[in-house]
Structure formats: structure tokens, C-alpha cells
Amino acid sequence: MKAIVTVMLKTGVLDPQGKAIGQALVGLGFSGVGEVRAGKVLEIELAETDPVAARAQAEEMARKLLANMVIESFRVEVA
Amino acid sequence: MKAGIVVFPGINRERDMAIALERSAGHKPRMVWHRETDLTGLDLIVIPGGFSYGDYLRCGAMAAQSPIMAAIRAHAARGGHVLGVCNGFQILIESGLLPGALLRNQNLRFLAMDCHLRVERTDTDFTRHYQNGEVFRAPMAHGDGNYFADPDTLDLLEGEGRVVFRYATPSGEITAQANRNGSARNIAGIASANLRVLGLMPHPEDLVDPLMGGEDGKPLFDSITAALAA
């Protein structure tokens, strides 16, 4: 299976990168651009074939390494 | 004092650190490759600055998982001394030995310049050779040095007196302008509850000789050398 882990900064944690990207979009002439948040997406191939077990495994990976739980949150999709 | 400097792939400040330790202690520290797991006989473990593992994922995240870290955790748990500078501070935070996180600098720029640090307490093994409230100059060079922690953790650190260095003006005022990377409460360096694990972003090891332009950082190394002299 493949797990897709999306890691984002928690709400309330300053995201200067997202802010700069937002400013660049405005600079390019895009109108109506609100807050921009930047994050990471990780695609992980897993030998596991059971979706529930695959999700549990990916969530453990996210907690242990992929996300820094002090500042980031994550969500997992399995396919 | 027997000091060991941990070397990860991508670290580049280990020789500066070795010079600073040797100048104070009078002998060379041991270089410890990150695959080693035995720190027997070492009093002080230093994690120097650089770009371990190319700063992949998050600064310090990969190094925090390397084989040597279990030994460093055990050393700290035994009450051993650990110093982390710059990337070393990031690694100590990623490994959970110090609380909080280091975010991208507020202005998004890599900051390579001198800053001034105010010494918030001089009764630690790392700071005894500074005067109370003394301000000293230190070079900094980092992209992710913006110290962050939730308000409860910040209050805990302040309450327990674990903020050791703050970004300040040369005259010692704590201002937003002196806080170039945007760190919470101008925090530049913090210690563990037992004050034996210290992490800071700037580089005191780069000002330990008049030929480097000053000796502002030398009291830190003199302090720890004296504390661990035996």
C-alpha cells in the first residue's frame, strides 16, 4: 500500500514561508489571495496490505520522525 | 575535563569547537563519529554546528535518530554534561533533550552576523566565568534559529531559570531589534532542569582568540573546563 502523510505547521505557529509565498502570489497579480500555509507531503510505499495496519504504521512514523509534534500536525491517507 | 565532539555527516564546525575546547582545557578533545555508541570516559559531549544530513526533513531531525544519540541520552540521564551549538542545539531539541522547537527565522533570511547575548545566570557549569548580566558578542549563522515553545513551556523554562542566554543589545537591553531571528522572549540558549545540558544558536567557539577578533566566547569554555577539572 502507499501512505500519503501530509505535515503542516499547527495553527498559531508562524509560517514565514507561507507568508512569503502569499506575498509572491499577490506580486504576480493574483487577486483575493488570503493566508497561505506551506507544508510537506511524503509518499511512503508499504509492504503492508491491510489498510488499517498500514495507517497505524504511517501514523507511528509521523509521530516518531516525519512530524515534529511541538509545531506540526499531520494527516495520513492510505491507498 | 575529557570532552568528545560528535561528528555527523554534514557537520562543519567541529574543528572550531575543538580549537575552543583545547584552548581552555589544554588538550585535544576526542572526535566521536555518529556511528559510535560508546562514550565511556567522557565528561562533556559537544554537538557542534553545521548541516547534519543536509538539514533534510527538519534541521537536526535525522541526526536525532542516529546511533550515537542513545548514548548521549544515557550520558545526560546519568547527569553528564552536554553542549549543543547551532545545529547541535537543533539536534538536542529534535531528540527531546531540550524542549521547544527551532523555526525558520522570522525574516526568512539566513542570518550570518554577530549578535550580543546577555548571560541570564552565572551559576551554571557553563557560565560561571561570566559576570551576572554580562553581555558578550557571538557570531551566528543559521536559517532556523527562531526559538518556539508553547506559553506553558516558556513559563516553565523562565520559572525554573533555564533561559541561560537572551539576544540583547550591546548594552544588555532585551529588544525586538536585537532578536533578529524572532525567538520567543529573545531566547538564544536554554538548559535542562539539572542545568547540565545546554543548547544555544550562536557560536561562542568562534570568538576564543584575539586572532579571531575577540575572546568573548572563551569564558564559556573556561567555565566548563573548570567545572569538570578533576
Side-chain angles (χ1 to χ4, degrees):
Chain A
M1 306 206 74
K2 188 185 261 184
I4 300 168
V5 183
T6 307
V7 180
M8 298 295 295
L9 285 171
K10 285 180 181 167
T11 324
V13 176
L14 181 75
D15 178 9
Q17 197 173 212
K19 221 179 222 176
I21 294 166
Q23 282 163 6
L25 290 173
V26 172
L28 281 169
F30 290 102
S31 60
V33 175
E35 194 190 13
V36 177
R37 307 281 288 173
K40 299 182 189 94
V41 177
L42 300 112
E43 294 183 356
I44 303 163
E45 283 183 13
L46 300 171
E48 183 58 62
T49 52
D50 173 43
V52 176
R55 172 180 295 275
Q57 198 183 14
E59 284 177 353
E60 197 189 347
M61 289 173 178
R63 274 191 298 273
K64 281 196 171 159
L65 177 65
L66 308 179
N68 176 346
M69 301 305 288
V70 177
I71 48 169
E72 294 169 326
S73 59
F74 66 87
R75 67 170 186 269
V76 173
E77 291 164 66
V78 283
Chain B
M1 174 183 72
K2 292 198 182 69
I5 300 178
V6 184
V7 183
F8 293 98
I11 284 283
N12 61 3
R13 309 297 280 261
E14 74 279 13
R15 285 177 293 259
D16 305 20
M17 189 59 79
I19 289 167
L21 287 165
E22 186 177 356
R23 267 187 77 79
S24 288
H27 55 263
K28 287 188 195 309
R30 187 178 127 196
M31 293 308 211
V32 184
W33 184 234
H34 70 116
R35 286 191 194 282
E36 292 184 36
T37 50
D38 186 10
L39 298 171
T40 310
L42 293 174
D43 306 311
L44 171 71
I45 308 299
V46 182
I47 311 182
F51 302 86
S52 58
Y53 300 90
D55 282 345
Y56 289 173
L57 193 64
R58 293 179 305 276
C59 298
M62 311 309 286
Q65 310 299 327
S66 68
I68 192 74
M69 283 315 295
I72 295 175
R73 274 198 198 91
H75 173 82
R78 281 194 302 269
H81 290 74
V82 182
L83 171 66
V85 170
C86 197
N87 194 207
F89 185 22
Q90 294 165 336
I91 293 167
L92 288 177
I93 283 193
E94 278 285 343
S95 65
L97 281 166
L98 291 172
L102 289 156
L103 302 173
R104 184 66 42 92
N105 293 341
Q106 185 175 245
N107 65 1
L108 284 174
R109 298 211 174 101
F110 188 96
L111 295 169
M113 57 183 63
D114 282 355
C115 63
H116 288 84
L117 300 179
R118 191 174 79 187
V119 184
E120 299 294 282
R121 59 185 297 174
T122 53
D123 57 346
T124 80
D125 289 343
F126 294 97
T127 54
R128 237 167 239 127
H129 286 231
Y130 285 108
Q131 303 297 313
N132 213 3
E134 184 173 343
V135 178
F136 69 99
R137 188 162 58 94
M140 64 171 167
H142 60 251
D144 298 71
N146 180 352
Y147 185 74
F148 173 89
D150 60 63
D152 289 348
T153 304
L154 291 172
D155 289 343
L156 178 87
L157 288 172
E158 304 263 19
E160 292 183 348
R162 290 165 58 186
V163 177
V164 180
F165 302 114
R166 273 185 232 269
Y167 298 106
T169 63
S171 57
E173 287 156 89
I174 303 301
T175 66
Q177 212 185 353
N179 189 27
R180 300 297 294 265
N181 58 24
S183 289
R185 304 187 193 178
N186 284 51
I187 291 172
I190 55 170
S192 57
N194 69 1
L195 302 175
R196 290 182 170 196
V197 179
L198 174 72
L200 73 161
M201 284 313 296
H203 292 275
E205 77 275 19
D206 285 342
L207 275 184
V208 295
D209 188 314
L211 284 173
M212 294 173 170
E215 296 186 287
D216 292 54
K218 196 162 181 293
L220 190 150
F221 298 95
D222 290 343
S223 299
I224 192 65
T225 299
L228 296 175

